Every structure is written in C-alpha cells, then in structure tokens.
Amino acid sequence: ERAFELRNVSVHYGDTPAVKDVTMDIFRNNITALIGPSGCGKSTLLRCMNRMNDLIPSATVEGTLRYHGEDIYGPKVDPVQVRKIIGMVFQKPNPFPKSIYDNVAFGPRTLGMKGNEREIVKDALVRAGLWDEVKDRLDDNAYGMSGGQQQRLCIARCIAVEPDVILMDEPCSALDPISTARIEDLMLELKERYSIVIVTHNMQQAARVSDMTGFLMVQLTEDEKSRWGELVEY
Ligand code: ADP
Ligand code: ADP
C-alpha cells in the first residue's frame, strides 16, 4: 500500500534549487532510505514530507506530495496536523532540557491528547526500547543520558503523539556503532507499526534496514555519477 506519492517535487530556497524533480512512491510499513551526496536535497525533501519546510520562509515547493491520496499542501490541510501524523527525528539528538518523563509527555500535553498520560509515556518508552533503562529515573534530566539513549528518547517523544510515519534525518550519524546498531534494530521493530523514511549517508545502513532505497543524485556531474554508480554496485 502506498503511503506517499511524490510527483515532480522541486524545492527552491529563494533562487537556489535544493530538490530537483523528484518522483517516487513510499510504501506503508516499509523502511525507505533516501541516499545521496551532501547537498543533494535529502533533508529538504524530508522536511517537505511533514511540512516542516514551511518554517523556512524562503522555501518554495513545486509538484505534488500526496499522503494516502491527500495532497498535504492542499488548501484545507493544517500543517500542525500533518506534523502530528508524520513525525520527525533529527541527526543530533535534541531532547528538551527537561526530565525524561516530561520530554515524552510534551507532545501529548501540547496537543491535548486524551488518555492516561503515564500510560502513554510508558508505552512510548517501551516501544522505543528505553523503558527498562529509564523506568527508575524518569524524573532525571534527559541531558544526563548517553547520546544513543537521547536519540531513542527523541524517538519515544515522536511515538507518543501516535504518528503514522517517522521521518529520520541521519538518525545515527552522531552515534557510536553500538548505539547505531540498536537504533537500526529498533527501526526494524518499528516498521511493523509505522512507515519509516530515513536519510542516510551510509550505503551499508541503507542495505541493512531499508526495503527500498531512493538515490537522489540529480545535481551530480557525469563524473560523480559514474563514481556513485561504482559505489552502488559495491
Ligand atoms: P542534504 O540533506 O542532501 O545534504 P539539504 O536538503 O540540506 O541537502 O540541502 C540542499 C541544498 O539546499 C544545499 O545546497 C543547501 O545548502 C541548501 N539549503 C538547505 N537548507 C537551506 C536553507 N534553509 N536556506 C537556504 N539554502 C538551504
Ligand atoms: P544536513 O547535515 O542534515 O544535511 P545541513 O548541515 O545541510 O544539514 O544543514 C543544517 C541546517 O542548516 C539545516 O536546518 C538547513 O536548513 C540549514 N542550512 C543548510 N544550508 C543552508 C544554507 N545554504 N543557507 C541557510 N541555511 C542552510
């Protein structure tokens, strides 16, 4: 089942092209990797998929981005609602300077979600594979956690608002190999329930976790393309 349909998506920052004519389908309960050299527009494309790019005033988006058939840039669509359904995790773990508990409770509180808050927080931490590590220190500041734990906390914070999709922008590039392996394992568990799109520089990571990989290489010279071709073969 298709989750996203991107049709001829181009993005400019002012006059500067950032994404050039991308057409691709992204399927539900898949992990889709977006790979390509620095500056080819991976982060930009990801940020368009939950309208986070709206927050950059110079950005203009052309083409069509449909999510389950609905144009997410359509006139009746509320960007805040889009960001709830389509969550995002960033390269650098970015917990709030608050307790572990409050980090996870933040989204549900802000959105006024119904339900038992402690249950929601626990459930999100369990699904992010963090509960056993933090259950006795939920009131500790999140900044005391390791980088890998902080990233799983950010995943829990995202999960707590019950999204359908988790967009991950190089979620492991600030992490050590063991934390990276844990996040990769976690992604493979999470795809049972969520659709995941991951931007990565790491071909091996894309091969390990993804069901489908999209290569964004439109801005490469012919010479660079042939070198990338060799890498892809490898
Ligand atoms: P990638 O994630 O593949 O490294 P990005 O989406 O970050 O690529 O960037 C694509 C292009 O858009 C680059 O040339 C980058 O410098 C430019 N860019 C990214 N963000 C902005 C911004 N906020 N304002 C202006 N240009 C930007
Ligand atoms: P990534 O490593 O995820 O590709 P970058 O290092 O390219 O991210 O960009 C980090 C931040 O800086 C992003 O939020 C992006 O929007 C912004 N940025 C990148 N390039 C530019 C640019 N040329 N002008 C203004 N902001 C930019």
Side-chain angles (χ1 to χ4, degrees):
E1 188 185 348
R2 277 197 192 87
F4 286 96
E5 291 166 76
L6 311 184
R7 294 291 176 269
N8 304 104
V9 175
S10 294
V11 185
H12 286 77
Y13 293 108
D15 293 333
T16 312
V19 172
K20 203 176 153 202
D21 198 22
V22 170
T23 291
M24 72 184 290
D25 289 334
I26 289 172
F27 292 88
R28 196 170 164 193
N29 297 105
N30 268 14
I31 299 176
T32 303
L34 295 177
I35 206 160
S38 230
C40 73
K42 303 180 295 297
S43 296
T44 298
L45 189 63
L46 206 67
R47 287 195 301 259
C48 289
M49 290 170 63
N50 74 345
R51 292 199 56 171
M52 199 150 258
N53 232 40
D54 289 21
L55 308 175
I56 303 174
S58 67
T60 52
V61 181
E62 294 158 66
T64 313
L65 291 92
R66 275 190 291 270
Y67 178 67
H68 288 293
E70 184 170 13
D71 180 353
I72 64 169
Y73 284 83
K76 288 187 193 146
V77 174
D78 174 5
V80 174
Q81 205 55 29
V82 174
R83 283 178 218 133
K84 179 203 171 302
I85 296 167
I86 306 167
M88 177 105 90
V89 173
F90 299 90
Q91 175 171 358
K92 210 167 159 285
N94 61 348
F96 304 126
K98 293 167 178 278
S99 71
I100 293 169
Y101 182 93
D102 284 343
N103 263 276
V104 184
F106 177 84
R109 277 180 198 161
T110 309
L111 293 165
M113 284 169 60
K114 301 220 163 37
N116 178 326
E117 187 180 279
R118 294 199 77 86
E119 288 299 320
I120 293 172
V121 169
K122 179 180 174 183
D123 187 47
L125 287 166
V126 168
R127 275 189 267 156
L130 202 54
W131 176 250
D132 288 336
E133 287 159 71
V134 302
K135 62 173 189 271
D136 298 322
R137 54 179 184 118
L138 292 173
D139 293 327
D140 290 3
N141 194 294
Y143 283 11
M145 307 168 90
S146 74
Q149 288 175 325
Q150 289 187 14
Q151 194 61 304
R152 278 182 283 137
L153 181 67
C154 292
I155 293 170
R157 185 175 65 187
C158 178
I159 286 173
V161 303
E162 294 174 7
D164 292 337
V165 182
I166 307 176
L167 306 175
M168 297 183 163
D169 193 350
E170 294 185 46
C172 302
S173 35
L175 304 181
D176 64 82
I178 291 168
S179 304
T180 297
R182 282 215 64 167
I183 301 263
E184 288 181 2
D185 290 345
L186 180 60
M187 286 194 289
L188 292 167
E189 284 170 31
L190 291 173
K191 78 166 185 171
E192 302 297 324
R193 180 152 178 170
Y194 309 94
S195 311
I196 297 176
V197 186
I198 174 181
V199 163
T200 177
H201 283 301
N202 184 329
M203 294 270 188
Q204 283 80 8
Q205 179 168 67
R208 278 194 297 267
V209 301
S210 79
D211 299 287
M212 197 174 92
T213 300
F215 295 90
L216 272 68
M217 47 205 320
V218 284
Q219 291 178 351
L220 294 185
T221 63
E222 285 308 313
D223 185 46
E224 286 168 328
K225 274 186 198 164
S226 71
R227 275 193 282 133
W228 266 74
E230 286 161 27
L231 267 173
V232 175
E233 301 273 328
Y234 164 79

